[in-house]
Amino acid sequence: MRVLCISDTVAPELDDPASSESFGQFDFIISCGDLPPEYLSRLSHRFNTPLYYVKGNHDIRYNHAPPMGCVNVHGRIIRHNSVKILGLEGSRWYNGGPYQYTEPQMRAILRGLRIRLWLNKGVDIIISHSPPRYIHDREDQCHKGFEIFNKAIKRYGPRYFLHGHIHASFKKDSERISTVGETKIINCYSYYIFEHNEHEAD
């Protein structure tokens, strides 16, 4: 299974129909937030594949113009074939804007998902806008990660924790990846492509 992950900035090479042909096909696309809704719609249509997304702290336009043909997975567990995906939107609270959460608020969201997580025997992929605390995050209030995400990784052991929010340049893909136990934590800033063995997710 081939997955395209996007976040925070439009990648010209993906957005150009001529150059995007060289990327081939994807089984699905994941957006970790802070992207124009039209961009998500274009990519889903261009690659003719499902797109699952969470909102970032700047995605206020999604209220009146959500990305067409795309699926908001915040606070939900969905399945793409046998792959189980959980979405968690937004950033840490910093100025009272939309899609900002305190640590107790994010903890409450995950607490409300416990039964579904138990029934689904965990998840394979967690999509978030923010990173876990002390992994890829920063020390200003807006860009601190959530501590509860570390506990979720330890408890549910997803194969991938995908996030955006932290703008960074990477000389090679390995610089955007950290590993905790069996979980790869990936900063999807701009875009990242990975291969997933779906049969291992059973």
Side-chain angles (χ1 to χ4, degrees):
M1 178 172 286
R2 193 162 181 260
V3 182
L4 169 64
C5 309
I6 56 176
S7 190
D8 292 280
T9 188
V10 172
E13 56 268 50
L14 287 173
D15 205 29
D16 180 358
S19 62
S20 64
E21 291 182 2
S22 65
F23 284 89
Q25 292 299 306
F26 301 104
D27 291 276
F28 58 91
I29 301 171
I30 286 173
S31 171
C32 295
D34 280 359
L35 287 167
E38 300 87 357
Y39 179 59
L40 273 60
S41 299
R42 287 196 299 271
L43 293 187
S44 179
H45 177 75
R46 181 170 301 142
F47 291 106
N48 190 29
T49 191
L51 189 151
Y52 308 114
Y53 72 91
V54 293
K55 299 172 187 174
N57 52 304
H58 296 302
D59 286 332
I60 57 175
R61 291 182 55 219
Y62 283 47
N63 284 337
H64 62 271
M68 294 186 296
C70 304
V71 180
N72 183 353
V73 295
H74 170 64
R76 302 171 58 196
I77 298 171
I78 64 158
R79 282 181 178 262
H80 182 98
N81 298 332
S82 65
V83 178
K84 296 168 287 187
I85 302 169
L86 165 65
L88 298 163
E89 71 183 12
S91 72
R92 286 281 288 260
W93 187 98
Y94 62 98
N95 67 4
Y99 315 127
Q100 298 177 21
Y101 297 89
T102 63
E103 185 72 37
Q105 287 173 328
M106 188 58 73
R107 191 181 306 124
I109 291 170
L110 276 161
R111 189 183 304 119
L113 291 164
R114 278 182 183 173
I115 293 176
R116 279 171 281 177
L117 283 162
W118 179 76
L119 290 172
N120 281 279
K121 299 180 180 179
V123 291
D124 302 297
I125 300 174
I126 295 179
I127 309 171
S128 172
H129 182 58
S130 291
R133 185 68 174 117
Y134 303 119
I135 303 175
H136 303 172
D137 67 344
R138 294 176 180 161
E139 290 306 308
D140 61 290
Q141 183 61 27
C142 175
H143 293 98
K144 286 181 180 178
F146 287 99
E147 294 178 14
I148 190 60
F149 290 171
N150 297 283
K151 295 180 180 179
I153 289 167
K154 183 177 180 179
R155 182 167 187 173
Y156 302 112
R159 291 188 175 275
Y160 304 96
F161 186 106
L162 309 174
H163 72 85
H165 195 45
I166 306 302
H167 297 207
S169 298
F170 305 103
K171 293 181 180 178
K172 51 186 178 179
D173 283 339
S174 60
E175 295 177 353
R176 64 170 78 232
I177 302 172
S178 296
T179 302
V180 175
E182 298 298 316
T183 303
K184 289 185 177 180
I185 300 164
I186 304 174
N187 183 343
C188 298
Y189 178 74
S190 185
Y191 74 92
Y192 177 72
I193 299 167
F194 70 90
E195 302 276 349
H196 173 71
N197 188 335
E198 187 175 0
H199 298 292
E200 293 181 2
D202 294 339

